[in-house]
Each structure stands twice: as structure tokens, then as C-alpha cells.
Amino acid sequence: MSPRTKGKGASSFGIGTTSVLTETVARVLLLPTVVAAVAILVKGYAQPGDGFAAGVVASLGVMLQHLALGRREAERLAVVRHAPILAGAGLVLSLLVATVPLLLGDPVLTHYPRPGGHVIYLGTLELITPVLFDVGIFLLVFGSVVGTMNAFARTISEEQEYAGPGDSGLEYEE
Amino acid sequence: MTTLLVLPAGIAWIVAAVLAPMDGRKPVWSWIAAAGLAASFVASVLLVFETLEGGPVETVAGGWPEGVGITLRADVLGASFAAVSLAVLLAAFVHEVLVGVRSRTFPALVLFLAAGLSGLFLTRDIFNFYVFFEISMTSAYILTGYREKDPQVRAAFIFAVVNLLGSVVFLFGIAAIYHVTGSLDMEVVAERIARVKPASILPIATSFFVAFSLKLGLFPFHFWLPAVYVGSHPSVAAILSGALANIGSYGFLRFGAGLMPKELGFGALVLLVLGVASIVYGALQAISRHATNEVMAYSAIGQVGYILVALAIGGPVGYAAAVVYAIVNALNKALVFLASGIRGPLAGAAFAVGAFSIAGVPPAAGFVGKVALFQTSIDAEGTFRSAALLVLIFVGSALSFLYSFQVYQRGFLAREGGDNRRPSPRAARTLTVALAVLVLALGLWPEPLLVLGEESANLLLEPPNRGLAEGGAP
Amino acid sequence: MILAVSIVIAVIFGSGAFLILQRDLLRLIVGILLISNASILFVMASGLSRGKAPIYPLDGASVSDPLVQAMALTALVIGSSTAALLLALVYRLYVSHRSIDIEDLSTAEMEAADALERVNVTEFDRGFRDEPVQEEQADERELEKEEPR
């Protein structure tokens, strides 16, 4: 493995240092990624897109922070610190949307308003219960991907701190 | 009634999602998890009664017309497997809570496993089955590493690698079956398979057979099983062998006897040979081992052999015997693994009940299973085959009696007086004894078991009566 | 089309099978991922017999079955989560064994099994699975240490 300098610019996964350009681009790209994710989420009812894809895109934005700026910088985002809670909340939300129809006497996963019913539009977005379900999926995917990556990053950086500079602690002999 | 159908998986799933970010080592969360698991279990038991009285319960998710949406269904077979698996999970989980949970994710994982298992037993859609199957398998991979000592992590790795390959084989089978029949609904698939030439179904049937054999740890596919059962923590071993392995027996019954009966008939001889090989191999290996868990791991290989033999003979008696044996075996295995993890007064007695139930000694529940198997072998066609099977089952039982007694003697009798370690909490021992009493009670009053077996067999033998759903085959 | 897809599936599956036979655990995982992706491609292929892929916007031509796309997506999600799990397991194995060579791991496994046999043959009353008492106490101390967090 190539020698590295450990500093603010070190990536979370021990891949070496990053240049100023990468860091700046990573910072700038965070917001647009989130906007793109929300667009994918909202458009999912008339065009390709859904909560899953949106979650993946949004988590890619956060992953970029990890890779370019390192764990400490990435953890300054509150969503990164509380990713597991987000994932749990997303799953609960989706499950509730799926099971609440049971209380109303309909089968699981029934969506409201029923086909043909009156729908409120917000631009092109139809306000129907599947949107809530997809928001839950979005949170679940985002939370679990970010949470997993954060856990990896934390373990690796703890190991590196333990091993001290100069030894990545990750090398192995072939 | 359709609400009841969703409850076993639904309750466990929601509670699991709530608990996932919490610290499961705190007793509060553990007991909430136990309550959720108990509620799931009660729902599944109610479902068993419901299906016994009124036949299968069905609902199409999302209120879609049938053939479009995913159909959830509970019938006697699925509901009873769900009830047994949830019972085992509940017992093992409460046991672990009483001993002390050491990992923050343990309660949530057990609940995810419960949701996955009850989901897959209560669906009529093959792909939905696969998804729930993966949910339960993934939680099981992590559970195997519970307590995170080196043997446990190694066991988890072996378990995950081998069973992932099994899942891949299963997925290949599902894709192929969808290609051939153009449907994923079990009833439609069964109906269309009956009209397809068996030659094109046989490879698919084989891939399903391999996938489920891997889950069960049948003889040529058993290589991973001893390492995993020995390496994992006793409660987890109880969960793996008493709840997760039910996927294998259920899969054989549902996909073999239910969906592809003709192909099952073609393969009967192979199943018989593999079953017999499993019984003999498992018993002989178990006798040669010393450690309690190792003996019981090999014994598990032998026990599933009996299920396969019953399935190979088939017919109402054979299928009923397979169901009864699978249920009894799940309870036995849970009991012995839990009992092997505790110390103190009555631990030996509880273990003895489980061990002798495995051997088929009356009045334990294992006896009922063995009697059902005897009936099956008498029912088998050909006098020679019947006689050979009778001898085999008798020898198998004798061998299992031998290793059960060896283990009991080594582990519990020889220890008297010399055991100065701290006994396990009283509550944990009481729970294990309660499970032992349940096994004894089922042996003394086997009617419920026999009824479940008989009804399930009738259900499997019923010809697929539903007409072709809309949408032609590709 | 069918031939091309079959060849692709076969090549991916074959590469995966080759990697699974390697000693390096990371390669083994890559092999498993390749094989599971071959199976996902197989799922897609099972519906690709009637026309073009069903991607919006549809231009009136016949499209193949969209259901398999949904199945493939589901299988991919499952595959990615198990991949994360496997990598975590390998990392954990590396931390405890300082190696990701399967030979070293099986040596460790053998040693554990031998120790087990010895304990059980020579010291009956200890019984199996009862970790030595000291280790258990150490375990509990560790637990207490973690508790306040």
C-alpha cells in the first residue's frame, strides 16, 4: 500500500490522501445530490424513479464526503450520526403505511385514495399514501447504506489510530 | 380473518424495526421484544385453529385482483410450521434474555428472523417466499456470530457463505419456474406444472431440492452443519436447528409434494437413498463424537433423514408422517440445545427428555414421530422395501438411543458432585423444563399433532383446482 | 439474444466459481457476488423473450415482461446487503486472526476442535461448551464495562 499522510484530507477508508480539488467538489456536490435524490423520489409516480433509487443517490452524496473529507468531517452531518435511527424510522413508517389499511378493513398495502378517487395534486406529484411508503423506503435505504459505511469507516479509523501512523493495519501478506 | 393472516409477520416486523436502533442489552427492550414475539406466536396459533376449522385463509395485498397482486395465504401446513417456529424462537429468546443478552442487536435480529419465517410460511407467492427467506437467512447469519468469540465468527462466515450459495441455486430455480410457467403464484404454478412435460421441470426440481437440502443439512450437503452448530452459542444453535431448519422441511413439503408431485415421484428412489444415508451417517458420526453439541449436530443430520424417507414414500400417510416428524424434531432440537447450555438441578432431566425424544422413547413426543414413520414404512409399496425400511428405522432409533444415552451419561450423570460451577438462573431452568414438559405432553396426547399432519397431507394431495389465472404463459 | 445472454451468464458464473476456489477470503466473496449476479441476470433473462427491455418511454414496440425487472431489483438489494455483511465478517475475521487466508482459518478451527476433544476426553465433568470459568468472568467484566455507555 502506498505511503500516506494522515491529516484532515485523509479518506475514511484508508485509500490515501485527497487533493483540494476533490475536497471542494465533494463539498459542493452534497446539496445537488440531495436535490437530485428528492427529485427522483417525487417523480417516481409519473416517470422512472422511486424511494430506493433516491436513497441510493442520496447516500452516494454522503459517501463522497467520507471518501474525500474523512470520517470526522462526514460525521459533522447530523444524518450521518443518526443513520441507524433514520433506517429504523423509515422501516416503521413503511410498515405502518402497509398495515394501517388493516384497521380500516382493507387488505395490507392498500393505497388511498383508491383508484378513481379524488387525488390532490402538488404540481405533478399526486398526494397518495404510496408516497409516504416510498419516503419510508428512502429513509431506510439511506439510513442503512450510510450507517453501514459509517460503521466500516469508524472501525477502520479506530484501528488506524490504534496502529499509529505509518501502519495502515490493513495490509496482509499474499 | 385476513387481518389475522398478516399479524404473525407484521407484529414481529414492526417491533423489530422499532428495536433495531435500540440497545438490546437493556432488559426493557428485551422484554418488549419477547412480548412482540409472544403476540406473533399467539396470532399464529389462532391462525392454526382458524385454518383447521374454515380451510385456508387468503388475502391479496393491496386489494388488487387475484393474479395481479401478491397473494398471502395461510393453510394448515404453513400455519402450523409458523406456530412451531415461533414457539421455538420464543423459547430460545426468553432463555437468552434470562441468561443475559450480550449484544445490542440480538432482540431485533430474533424478531427479524421471526418476521421472515412467519412471512415465508404464510405466502402463496414464490418470489415473496424467496424475499422472506432471505430476510430470515440474513438475520440468521448475523445471529450465528452472536457473542462474537472467534468460533462464533468463523461459524457465521461458513454459514453465510454456504447458505448464500444455496440461495443462489434457489433463485436460479425460481427464475426457471417463472420462465416455464409464467407465474409465481403457487396454485397457478402447480396447475401448469402438471401439464408440462416432467423433463423440463426435473432440473428445476433438482435445484429446489439442493437449495432446501442445504438448509436442512441433508447427507451430501451437510458439510457446513457440524461446524456451525458447534461453533454457535447454544440458544442460537436452538434457533438454527429448531426454527430455521423448518424452512427446509417446509420447502420439501410445499415445493416437492405441493408443486411438483410428479417429479417428486420420479426422484423418490434418490430421496430414499439420501434419506437412508443421512440416517446412517448422522447416527454413526454422532456415536463417535464426545462433545454434547457435536453429537447433537450430527444427530440433526440423521433426524432430517427420517423426514426425507417419509416424503419419498409419500401418499397421505407419508406426508402426514413427514409433517409430524418435522414438528416434533424442531421441538426436540430446541430442547436439547437449550438444555445443553444450562447447568444446575433439573437441567439433566430436561436434556434427558429431549435426548430420549430424539431416540423415540415413549412417552416423549419423538415416539409419535417414530410411530408415524413405522406406519409409513408398512405403507410403502413392496414387501422388501417395507421390511428394509422397518429394520432401518429400528436400527436408526437404537443408534440414536445409544448416542443420546452416551451424551446424557457423559454430560450430566458423570458430573454429579463434581460440578461446582454456578448454576444457571432458576427462571432459565424453569423455561427449559417447561419445554420438556411440552414435549412430554405432546407424546402423551398426540392427537393435535396427528390432526395437523393428516390435514396437511390432505391439503398437499388435493389436486390444484383453481383455473388458469389471466395472462398466458410466455 | 438468448445465446448472448447465456454466454454472459456462463462467463460470470464461471469466473465466480473460479474465485470461490481461491484461498483469499476477499476473492471468495467477490466470487460469491459474481455468482449471485449471474443468478440475477438469469432472472432477467427468464423474462426477456418477448421484446425490448420495458424502459419508459415506451415507443409502441412490444416489451418484455416487467415483473422480472422488479424481481431482479429485489434480488440486487438482498445481494448488496449480504455483500456488506460478508465484508464485515471478513474484516472481523481479519481482526481476530490477522489473516484472510482460508488455510490459516481452518488451522485455527482445527486447533479449536482438537482442544475440544482433549477437554472432553480427559475431563468429563467439565462438559462441552462450558467455557472455562475464568473466561466467563472476564466476559462479564467486559459486559459491565460496556454497560454505562
Side-chain angles (χ1 to χ4, degrees):
Chain A
M1 216 173 271
S2 60
R4 91 203 46 247
T5 48
K6 288 181 69 84
K8 201 176 144 208
S11 138
S12 298
F13 300 100
I15 315 177
T17 52
T18 47
S19 70
V20 183
L21 186 66
T22 326
E23 284 179 27
T24 320
V25 170
R27 274 182 222 281
V28 171
L29 269 184
L30 181 62
L31 198 62
T33 334
V34 173
V35 173
V38 172
I40 292 174
L41 176 65
V42 177
K43 273 166 53 143
Y45 299 88
Q47 283 179 344
D50 61 344
F52 177 76
V56 171
V57 170
S59 54
L60 280 178
V62 176
M63 278 290 299
L64 194 59
Q65 311 298 306
H66 259 304
L67 284 172
L69 305 171
R71 178 171 73 94
R72 293 191 195 290
E73 202 69 2
E75 278 190 348
R76 281 171 55 188
L77 297 167
V79 284
V80 175
R81 288 195 304 273
H82 302 295
I85 304 269
L86 277 188
L91 185 55
V92 171
L93 178 63
S94 291
L95 285 172
L96 285 182
V97 173
T99 46
V100 160
L102 284 175
L103 302 179
L104 306 174
D106 286 318
V108 269
L109 286 166
T110 306
H111 61 86
Y112 301 103
R114 304 290 299 138
H118 177 65
V119 180
I120 305 166
Y121 281 91
L122 203 76
T124 55
L125 176 66
E126 303 171 45
L127 288 184
I128 46 180
T129 51
V131 176
L132 266 185
F133 185 82
D134 250 5
V135 170
I137 299 290
F138 169 80
L139 289 177
L140 172 61
V141 171
F142 179 78
S144 52
V145 172
V146 170
T148 312
M149 287 308 156
N150 206 34
F152 272 122
R154 190 177 308 147
T155 335
I156 290 171
S157 67
E158 267 166 22
E159 170 129 337
Q160 279 171 353
E161 277 153 27
Y162 174 73
D167 178 13
S168 76
L170 266 177
E171 278 135 322
Y172 57 92
E173 280 87 48
E174 267 293 286
Chain B
M1 271 318 103
T2 54
T3 309
L4 195 57
L5 175 56
V6 187
L7 286 184
I11 297 174
W13 211 348
I14 291 180
V15 179
V18 172
L19 288 185
M22 307 301 173
D23 187 352
R25 284 169 302 190
K26 298 212 174 87
V28 183
W29 300 118
S30 298
W31 286 112
I32 289 177
L37 212 49
S40 277
F41 171 63
V42 170
S44 68
V45 170
L46 290 179
L47 209 51
V48 172
F49 286 117
E50 184 67 32
T51 48
L52 270 179
E53 274 167 24
V57 185
E58 295 191 334
T59 179
V60 183
W64 294 98
E66 200 164 336
V68 177
I70 294 169
T71 315
L72 307 176
R73 174 180 64 179
D75 52 25
V76 188
L77 180 63
S80 33
F81 267 92
V84 171
S85 311
L86 286 173
V88 170
L89 278 178
L90 184 63
F93 179 68
V94 173
H95 179 270
E96 191 57 32
V97 172
L98 293 172
V99 176
V101 174
R102 302 271 178 92
S103 151
R104 54 185 302 140
T105 49
F106 185 75
L109 283 173
V110 173
L111 279 162
F112 275 122
L113 182 56
L117 281 176
S118 32
L120 76 90
F121 292 135
L122 302 178
T123 182
R124 212 181 83 180
D125 186 275
I126 297 178
F127 198 75
N128 199 11
F129 179 94
Y130 171 76
V131 171
F132 278 115
F133 168 89
E134 284 293 346
I135 292 177
S136 39
M137 289 316 292
T138 311
S139 348
Y141 302 147
I142 312 174
L143 271 181
T144 314
Y146 173 61
R147 295 226 170 179
E148 291 197 22
K149 295 220 182 71
D150 289 351
Q152 274 116 40
V153 180
R154 280 200 300 265
F157 187 73
I158 298 172
F159 187 53
V161 167
V162 173
N163 280 287
L164 268 179
L165 291 178
S167 306
V168 168
V169 174
F170 188 45
L171 190 58
F172 271 114
I174 292 175
I177 218 165
Y178 181 66
H179 185 70
V180 172
T181 62
S183 174
L184 288 169
D185 186 289
M186 289 186 186
E187 296 219 346
V188 181
V189 166
E191 203 263 345
R192 287 184 187 163
I193 280 183
R195 294 183 291 127
V196 178
K197 273 201 218 109
S200 56
I201 303 294
L202 268 178
I204 305 176
T206 314
S207 73
F208 281 152
F209 176 74
V210 170
F212 291 128
S213 302
L214 263 174
K215 297 285 111 94
L216 264 180
L218 216 61
F219 166 58
F221 309 101
H222 67 280
F223 48 90
W224 58 272
L225 192 139
V228 172
Y229 282 15
V230 173
S232 54
H233 185 67
S235 316
V236 175
I239 289 176
L240 293 183
S241 62
L244 199 72
N246 287 344
I247 298 178
S249 358
Y250 177 80
F252 276 148
L253 284 161
R254 176 68 75 194
F255 286 84
L259 292 189
M260 312 172 202
K262 238 193 291 175
E263 289 72 19
L264 188 71
F266 283 123
L269 191 62
V270 180
L271 298 198
L272 212 55
V273 169
L274 288 183
V276 169
S278 264
I279 296 175
V280 174
Y281 174 86
L284 291 180
Q285 283 279 11
I287 287 179
S288 69
R289 303 294 156 147
H290 293 278
T292 310
N293 269 30
E294 219 174 357
V295 172
M296 284 309 152
Y298 281 105
S299 144
I301 299 174
Q303 296 299 309
V304 294
Y306 292 106
I307 301 175
L308 202 65
V309 166
L311 199 68
I313 295 169
V317 186
Y319 291 160
V323 173
V324 170
Y325 206 89
I327 293 176
V328 168
N329 185 39
L331 292 175
N332 287 344
K333 280 277 132 49
L335 177 57
V336 287
F337 277 114
L338 285 185
S340 76
I342 58 172
R343 306 182 272 272
L346 284 179
F351 183 83
V353 171
F356 294 124
S357 182
I358 288 177
V361 179
F367 180 63
V368 183
K370 285 274 157 53
V371 167
L373 275 174
F374 270 115
Q375 279 172 345
T376 317
S377 359
I378 292 169
D379 213 44
E381 51 190 290
T383 334
F384 172 72
R385 201 185 264 199
S386 281
L389 280 176
L390 278 177
V391 170
L392 172 88
I393 292 173
F394 186 76
V395 171
S397 307
L399 289 177
S400 31
F401 183 76
L402 190 62
Y403 64 68
S404 301
F405 190 75
Q406 274 184 343
V407 167
Y408 178 65
Q409 191 253 351
R410 224 182 270 133
F412 294 94
L413 284 185
R415 227 187 236 177
E416 294 288 330
D419 193 358
N420 49 5
R421 281 156 309 153
R422 204 159 26 97
S424 306
R426 183 188 297 261
R429 277 181 284 142
T430 316
L431 180 78
T432 317
V433 170
L435 198 58
V437 170
L438 174 71
V439 168
L440 279 181
L442 278 178
L444 290 172
W445 187 51
E447 268 81 5
L449 267 183
L450 297 178
V451 169
L452 288 183
E454 219 168 90
E455 291 289 323
S456 307
N458 290 340
L459 189 92
L460 288 171
L461 287 166
E462 223 170 67
N465 47 9
R466 203 168 296 262
L468 234 120
E470 300 87 88
Chain C
M1 183 66 185
I2 291 178
L3 185 66
V5 173
S6 329
I7 290 174
V8 171
I9 295 174
V11 168
I12 295 180
F13 192 96
S15 328
F18 173 74
L19 284 174
I20 281 189
L21 301 175
Q22 305 288 304
R23 281 170 52 172
D24 188 323
L25 289 187
L26 276 180
R27 292 188 190 180
L28 188 143
I29 288 178
V30 174
I32 288 177
L33 291 183
L34 279 181
I35 286 188
S36 76
N37 279 301
S39 77
I40 291 167
L41 209 54
F42 190 69
V43 171
M44 302 265 287
S46 73
L48 269 185
S49 49
R50 272 188 305 192
K52 299 205 303 197
I55 297 175
Y56 189 87
L58 309 171
D59 52 1
S62 77
V63 291
S64 57
D65 192 347
L67 184 60
V68 288
Q69 315 278 334
M71 293 202 289
L73 184 63
T74 317
L76 274 175
V77 176
I78 296 171
S80 71
S81 63
T82 43
L85 174 63
L86 279 177
L87 287 173
L89 274 174
V90 168
Y91 184 74
R92 173 64 181 75
L93 281 174
Y94 173 73
V95 166
S96 58
H97 295 78
R98 286 285 138 188
S99 160
I100 53 167
D101 189 318
I102 204 156
E103 297 282 321
D104 294 344
L105 292 183
S106 49
T107 315
E109 182 88 47
M110 287 297 162
E111 277 165 10
D114 280 353
L116 201 80
E117 280 301 286
R118 274 200 304 281
V119 166
N120 279 281
V121 174
T122 54
E123 296 174 54
F124 279 99
D125 52 354
R126 210 166 216 182
F128 170 62
R129 288 229 48 85
D130 306 333
E131 295 105 322
V133 182
Q134 307 89 325
E135 194 184 329
E136 198 155 276
Q137 281 167 350
D139 227 40
E140 265 152 30
R141 275 200 300 276
E142 194 181 298
L143 188 72
E144 279 156 20
K145 229 173 12 197
E146 278 173 34
E147 209 63 82
R149 260 203 279 164

